Amino acid sequence: MSLDMLQTKTLLSVRDLTVTLTTEGCDVLRGVSFDLAPRQILSVIGESGSGKTVLARALASWLSEPLEITGGEILFEGRNLVEDPAFARHLGGREIAYVGGNPAGALDPTMTVGAQLVEKLRAVRPEISTQEARRKAIRLLEAVKIPAAERRFHEYPFQYSGGMMQRAMIVDALMSDPALLIADNITQPLDVTVAAQILKLMRDLNKDFSTAILFICSSLPVACDAADEVMVLHGGRVVERQVPSGLIASPEHAYTRTLIEELPTLWTGTRESAPPPSRDQQAIMSVRGVAKHYETRGASGKAQVQAVRNVEFDVFPGDNFGIVGESGCGKSSLMRLLTGLERPDAGTIFFEDENIGQASPKRLRALRRRFQLVLQDPYGSLPPQSPIGAIIEEPLKIHGLGNRAERRDRARAAMSEVGLNVASYDSLPTGLSAGQRQRLNVARAMVLEPRLLIMDETLSALDQTEQGKMLNLFERLQAQHGFTYIFISHDLTMVRQVCSRIAVMYLGETVEVAPNERLFFDPGHPYTRALLSAAPTLEKRRYLPEECLLEGEPPSPIDLPPGCAFAGRCPHAFDRCLSETPRLQTRNAQALAACHLIDGGVAQ
Amino acid sequence: MSLVRYLARRLAQGALIVFLVSALIFTLLRVVPGDPVRLMAGGMAPEALIEEIAADMGLRDPIYVQFGRYVAGILQGDLGQSFVRPANGAAVGGASFDDSTRGERAKVWSLIANSAPMTLQLALLAMIFALVIALPIGVWGGLRPGAWPDRFALYISSVFVSLPNFWLGIVLALLLSVKLQLVPAIGYNGFAYTILPAFVLAIEIAPFIIRTLTVSVAGVMSQSFIDIAAVRGLTRNQIVFRHVMKNSAVPLLNLLGVQFSMLLGGVLVIEFIFDYPGLGLLTINAVMQRDFPLIQGIAIVTAAAFVLINIVVDLAATTIDPRLEY
Ligand code: SF4
């Protein structure tokens, strides 16, 4: 057989595959057909409920009750896996490898990662010696860029970060040199910079190990980035399949068209974001040199976690202020400080004229009338047993405002303002959708007529369409009540759409504070550029990941090295970065960044 | 390094616990009614003689003085002498109030050292029996939650729990040793005498092990790494015997530690029924004879054993699951 023939032969051929949810009698996949050539990367994209995960599991022979294949064929190298479940199971972990979206729980917590990699290879290829398996594992760990692979081989899963664990799971899948790798939502739980690294890694591996990849995901930009071709799944059917450029340029199916249209953009045609308010007025919230550390017990006794350091910014009345950063950057700790749930170890947080960090508990309670927190999780933050009206009235009761009738009126007014049906005043929140729950949270926060609303990942749990509606609502409320917002988020696209000014956090510090346009088009800090380069988008990239993003993950906030915290991942790092910690400095009137490059980079 | 520090800390804590236990027991024994000297000297002994003996033994000093003296002794490895037992064996009656044998009363330490190994042997064998019974039933039940192995585990545990141990002991003794003459039952005259009481004890502990195992095995089975293991290509046997068993071992280990401590400290009924010469029997006799030094000695030794077993269990648990840092 010539090489040519090998390449044109199909590896996987799915014909009319139908999977039924037997308890309901409804089909989750309806007649799905597609071919996958060896070495090809095919993205499968679809919203939740489109059947993409079911497809992944069907191919990995991992369907469990009550899901069942009720029709069609899965031909792997010509053999029908549906008719030969024993052969299908035999392929699992050998020729067909699967990597899921939850790396955290994927390995036995009581065994070292290395031992489990060896165990897996020896399970499917007993003829390979332990020594050899070990060498292979370490080689692959190096190939997926796990630093100090020899040492990491002997570490336990809980000592790995999420991104490293996902790399380890990819190694696990590749141990047996599979012909097909099913990657089911593997970048979902990861931060953008880490996800971008994993995507790049996957493409490299595809080249080096000639593995065909079925890449399943729910984000169109990621899917287009990752694959040779993109297949769109909608309602259990394949509605379209094209190369990425073709799909973006001329989507054929209506669903794909709406998907592309609704996708928020970073660089072009964004919503008209409000210009930053005038800075002549007094800041509504002013944060200076705030720091907070926690004690933990580490490997060698007590250790300090520097959760928040050197945070500085001002928020002006009418502002939409954004705070962005990846997980572990200290956003949540900062939120707790801003709302007075915890007190800073150093620095001041002025809300209007009062220092929240030092206000008495009684004073703080009074102040809370004027700044309110809207929480992230729409399911955890509502008491399930109280009716909607009572939930909204509760803050009024706590602050002793109005009599019963007045409270009722205000609650109803708030409900209609956020777009909740006033008739549901007496019903329980259990029947509400995620979006409605978020509206209820907003209503509860705004009945007190606060001046400042702090939104902690408020929109993260909502889908694109619902997010858009909520943003419109926020805008309307702002126009009517003159609210000032602080949005705490990991989502650059969301921040790009609504915020007038944005602070970027890295390892507990504000490394850059700038107006929206300026931050996106002329970032002053290399980390901001890395973040922007990694953000998934269909547009032409302004910043190339290859130039802006180095390997690696943020160092642990315990025992921080001296100098710039980003130095280890910064493409521009030079000597001074390792010895001297950069402070926020002005780049011009409105933009600040903490990087030595700004003042020319020379030692002082 | 941190292991040494950890051990030092745990041992220091343990020493404090043992000290507190002995202080408590010491005080309690001296405030409860019943004068041990009266028991020793016999009902007929004149009051003056009793006072003399008591003063001689230091029993009329303030409690803290007595306790200080006692602790000083312990630190030199001396748990004192029994009030009633002579060095040669059987307990002395109360008749000999002339007390010529005083010097030859048994050392508490050697009394304990003689019976503790017996109890240890009994406890270990009981543990082995219990594991042999409970491991298969419990693991199987946990692998099939809700199905009949799970229900079987539940039923058999209920049956075991509802058998009173003294009743089971007597029935088995009658059946196996009197009727069928398979194993000896009463007293001790070789290893075979341990089997029957150990078996009765095993039946008593087995339900706890079964319960813990079914719950923890079922818990581990529902975790995602077990689910994924099959997709990764591991065989069912590898999953069950390597991963499920190891991950369910920590709760089991904790339970075994507690059960073993209880066996060491308190198999009173069973040792009494089978007249098994272990710590339990020694305790019962010591209490009945108001043999203060002996009771104290047993309390201290068992408390120390508890502490040590606990440390061993925790160490073993951290070896199995590295997330449990010390
Ligand atoms: S200070 Fe140096 S290391 Fe830090 S971001 Fe600037 S150039 Fe990079």
Side-chain angles (χ1 to χ4, degrees):
Chain A
M1 220 185 307
S2 76
L3 195 73
D4 232 62
M5 280 180 68
L6 256 179
Q7 260 160 3
T8 47
K9 208 182 74 175
T10 48
L11 173 72
L12 177 75
S13 170
V14 176
R15 288 283 160 268
D16 279 324
L17 184 67
T18 301
V19 174
T20 309
L21 187 62
T22 48
T23 43
E24 314 266 311
C26 68
D27 292 345
V28 187
L29 290 182
R30 307 156 203 237
V32 169
S33 302
F34 67 94
D35 287 337
L36 184 66
R39 267 163 253 198
Q40 194 183 18
I41 307 184
L42 174 66
S43 278
V44 179
I45 167 146
E47 60 199 339
S48 58
S50 62
K52 54 189 194 311
T53 291
V54 172
L55 175 64
R57 290 190 168 216
L59 296 179
S61 321
W62 194 18
L63 282 186
S64 51
E65 299 281 310
L67 288 167
E68 207 176 287
I69 297 181
T70 47
E73 303 179 323
I74 302 173
L75 298 167
F76 184 82
E77 290 175 329
R79 278 177 81 170
N80 186 355
L81 303 187
V82 179
E83 273 171 8
D84 196 350
F87 180 62
R89 266 198 303 278
H90 175 82
L91 289 179
R94 282 184 180 81
E95 291 300 324
I96 302 182
Y98 175 95
V99 182
N102 177 16
L107 287 184
D108 186 336
T110 67
M111 269 171 82
T112 63
V113 173
Q116 297 188 66
L117 293 176
V118 170
E119 179 193 28
K120 133 117 200 196
L121 181 57
R122 305 242 310 130
V124 294
R125 302 228 193 285
E127 70 278 4
I128 293 178
S129 75
T130 312
Q131 250 63 28
E132 210 175 310
R134 216 194 109 145
R135 275 197 298 276
K136 180 162 192 185
I138 293 179
R139 208 175 61 236
L140 284 173
L141 286 172
E142 276 163 1
V144 300
K145 312 250 164 51
I146 286 191
E150 286 268 359
R151 184 168 53 82
R152 288 287 182 175
F153 179 89
H154 296 289
E155 287 189 356
Y156 291 90
F158 72 93
Q159 291 165 296
Y160 278 53
S161 69
M164 279 212 296
M165 201 57 215
Q166 193 59 290
R167 286 157 202 257
M169 289 319 292
I170 292 175
V171 169
D172 185 79
L174 293 177
M175 281 299 275
S176 58
D177 301 318
L180 170 64
L181 174 66
I182 301 170
D184 184 6
N185 254 327
I186 55 171
T187 55
Q188 177 91 0
L190 306 177
D191 282 319
V192 283
T193 59
V194 179
Q197 292 169 10
I198 297 269
L199 279 190
K200 177 166 170 292
L201 169 73
M202 227 188 50
R203 282 190 304 262
D204 294 348
L205 292 174
N206 168 257
K207 260 189 238 123
D208 301 347
F209 296 87
S210 56
T211 307
I213 300 174
L214 195 71
F215 185 82
I216 289 160
C217 85
S218 44
S219 151
L220 187 58
V222 173
C224 289
D225 244 13
D228 306 329
E229 281 190 72
V230 180
M231 182 166 96
V232 184
L233 216 58
H234 181 59
R237 284 198 174 85
V238 178
V239 294
E240 135 157 56
R241 176 174 173 174
Q242 288 203 47
V243 294
S245 55
L247 188 82
I248 298 166
S250 53
E252 282 160 15
H253 193 269
Y255 170 71
T256 324
R257 271 198 296 276
T258 19
L259 199 65
I260 295 177
E261 271 162 28
E262 279 183 0
L263 206 66
T265 52
L266 284 176
W267 317 113
T268 48
T270 52
R271 307 154 62 107
E272 202 43 42
S273 62
S278 135
R279 299 168 65 96
D280 302 335
Q281 43 184 341
Q282 193 205 3
I284 189 169
M285 185 169 259
S286 176
V287 180
R288 285 289 169 271
V290 160
K292 176 83 189 170
H293 67 258
Y294 302 95
E295 301 243 307
T296 56
R297 285 207 310 133
S300 48
K302 281 201 187 114
Q304 281 200 347
V305 180
Q306 302 278 351
V308 173
R309 311 169 293 145
N310 312 329
V311 168
E312 309 213 343
F313 56 81
D314 290 314
V315 181
F316 295 95
D319 227 345
N320 286 337
F321 191 79
I323 300 175
V324 287
E326 301 180 279
S327 52
C329 75
K331 300 187 295 266
S332 319
S333 311
L334 180 61
M335 179 274 285
R336 299 179 67 77
L337 297 176
L338 295 186
T339 48
L341 293 172
E342 274 173 40
R343 289 169 190 271
D345 299 328
T348 55
I349 303 171
F350 275 97
F351 172 71
E352 296 178 331
D353 288 324
E354 283 187 73
N355 188 348
I356 294 176
Q358 275 160 14
S360 69
K362 191 163 153 244
R363 190 66 203 132
L364 207 55
R365 228 171 295 134
L367 280 176
R368 286 228 174 85
R369 251 188 79 182
R370 289 187 283 145
F371 65 87
Q372 282 284 311
L373 176 68
V374 181
L375 278 169
Q376 157 180 31
D377 158 34
Y379 288 96
S381 56
L382 293 174
Q385 297 308 331
S386 7
I388 292 172
I391 294 177
I392 301 177
E393 281 174 32
E394 197 193 330
L396 293 172
K397 266 193 210 151
I398 292 175
H399 288 277
L401 298 175
N403 58 31
R404 260 183 101 164
E406 281 165 10
R407 285 203 295 263
R408 195 181 156 89
D409 289 344
R410 278 173 80 164
R412 284 167 167 267
M415 283 176 75
S416 68
E417 263 196 283
V418 300
L420 284 174
N421 188 351
V422 180
S424 60
Y425 180 88
D426 286 316
S427 39
L428 293 179
T430 32
L432 298 184
S433 72
Q436 285 171 321
R437 281 167 171 263
Q438 212 47 278
R439 284 164 199 270
L440 174 51
N441 268 326
V442 173
R444 173 162 68 164
M446 61 170 278
V447 278
L448 288 171
E449 295 278 333
R451 294 199 57 207
L452 176 66
L453 282 165
I454 300 176
M455 311 278 195
D456 184 20
E457 298 279 7
T458 307
L459 301 179
S460 306
L462 306 180
D463 63 30
Q464 253 175 49
T465 328
E466 195 62 36
Q467 271 196 17
K469 286 188 202 151
M470 290 296 282
L471 293 180
N472 289 335
L473 170 68
F474 291 158
E475 211 172 292
R476 212 177 60 232
L477 293 177
Q478 186 165 42
Q480 269 161 22
H481 300 267
F483 291 152
T484 304
Y485 296 116
I486 295 181
F487 292 96
I488 300 177
S489 176
H490 69 278
D491 183 354
L492 276 173
T493 339
M494 192 283 264
V495 169
R496 169 72 176 140
Q497 292 173 75
V498 281
C499 293
S500 44
R501 287 168 64 246
I502 298 162
V504 178
M505 287 186 77
Y506 183 74
L507 268 181
E509 284 179 302
T510 39
V511 293
E512 174 152 15
V513 184
N516 189 332
E517 293 283 310
R518 185 84 193 272
L519 187 95
F520 279 81
F521 287 92
D522 175 26
H525 195 281
Y527 174 65
T528 311
R529 222 167 294 145
L531 208 55
L532 292 175
S533 77
T537 170
L538 290 180
E539 301 152 272
K540 190 172 166 306
R541 293 181 177 278
R542 280 188 67 87
Y543 309 101
L544 297 175
E546 299 79 61
E547 288 166 17
C548 304
L549 191 61
L550 291 194
E551 283 299 328
E553 291 169 32
S556 125
I558 305 171
D559 309 325
L560 279 170
C564 175
F566 189 55
R569 302 170 74 195
C570 178
H572 308 293
F574 55 105
D575 324 342
R576 190 175 152 202
C577 306
L578 296 177
S579 55
E580 193 188 327
T581 310
R583 300 271 157 209
L584 271 183
Q585 33 188 322
T586 322
R587 295 167 60 220
N588 68 17
Q590 300 222 345
L592 302 161
C595 172
H596 292 317
L597 289 176
I598 291 168
D599 53 12
V602 277
Q604 283 173 342
Chain B
M1 182 56 224
S2 66
L3 176 67
V4 175
R5 274 226 310 270
Y6 169 78
L7 273 181
R9 200 184 77 228
R10 290 292 304 264
L11 285 173
Q13 281 170 1
L16 183 69
I17 292 173
V18 172
F19 176 79
L20 291 178
V21 166
S22 50
L24 190 70
I25 299 267
F26 198 89
T27 322
L28 281 180
L29 284 180
R30 272 151 189 80
V31 294
V32 292
D35 187 349
V37 184
R38 168 65 65 189
L39 274 167
M40 286 160 61
M44 304 298 287
E47 198 61 34
L49 180 63
I50 286 181
E51 279 310 311
E52 193 192 314
I53 297 174
D56 202 26
M57 293 169 67
L59 290 178
R60 293 297 179 262
D61 293 337
I63 288 186
Y64 62 87
V65 175
Q66 293 186 38
F67 186 61
R69 199 157 49 216
Y70 183 65
V71 171
I74 295 179
L75 290 181
Q76 291 155 28
D78 180 11
L79 288 175
Q81 290 175 346
S82 164
F83 282 170
V84 277
R85 287 171 183 252
N88 57 18
V92 280
S96 49
F97 61 81
D98 56 346
D99 202 43
S100 60
T101 53
R102 151 109 338 170
E104 290 127 58
R105 291 199 187 265
K107 290 261 182 221
V108 167
W109 178 245
S110 60
L111 284 174
I112 294 177
N114 281 336
S115 42
M118 302 299 300
T119 294
L120 199 63
Q121 176 179 326
L122 178 62
L124 280 175
L125 193 65
M127 229 50 197
I128 292 170
F129 283 162
L131 282 175
V132 167
I133 298 170
L135 267 178
I137 299 177
V139 172
W140 201 20
L143 290 178
R144 303 247 183 290
W148 72 265
D150 189 17
R151 286 200 299 277
F152 174 74
L154 183 68
Y155 295 149
I156 199 137
S157 310
S158 323
V159 172
F160 284 175
V161 164
S162 47
L163 293 176
N165 58 5
F166 61 90
W167 176 85
L168 184 68
I170 293 168
V171 168
L172 286 182
L174 285 178
L175 196 71
L176 296 182
S177 82
V178 178
K179 255 234 164 88
L180 302 173
Q181 309 224 316
L182 286 175
V183 281
I186 308 300
Y188 188 81
N189 196 8
F191 180 73
Y193 287 80
T194 317
I195 296 174
L196 205 50
F199 185 74
V200 175
L201 284 171
I203 294 292
E204 203 180 330
I205 325 168
F208 297 100
I209 303 181
I210 293 176
R211 182 84 202 120
T212 307
L213 267 177
T214 45
V215 171
S216 61
V217 167
V220 173
M221 283 305 285
S222 68
Q223 288 187 21
S224 61
F225 70 87
I226 295 296
D227 207 11
I228 290 172
V231 183
R232 290 173 58 223
L234 301 197
T235 62
R236 173 95 182 158
N237 278 349
Q238 277 175 320
I239 296 173
V240 171
F241 288 105
R242 231 175 270 165
H243 299 285
V244 176
M245 297 287 254
K246 193 173 178 197
N247 276 277
S248 356
V250 170
L252 178 66
L253 206 66
N254 286 326
L255 177 81
L256 291 186
V258 173
Q259 294 288 351
F260 195 65
S261 303
M262 284 183 10
L263 284 180
L264 283 190
V267 282
L268 304 180
V269 179
I270 295 300
E271 287 193 4
F272 186 69
I273 292 175
F274 288 96
D275 194 25
Y276 187 88
L279 273 183
L281 200 59
L282 193 67
T283 311
I284 293 175
N285 289 332
V287 169
M288 294 203 296
Q289 293 163 338
R290 291 218 166 46
D291 193 347
F292 287 0
L294 189 52
I295 298 175
Q296 279 156 203
I298 293 172
I300 289 175
V301 168
T302 40
F306 281 18
V307 166
L308 288 179
I309 289 173
N310 247 312
I311 295 177
V312 170
V313 164
D314 288 352
L315 273 183
T318 47
T319 338
I320 292 178
D321 190 341
R323 285 171 302 176
L324 310 164
E325 55 169 331
Y326 15 84

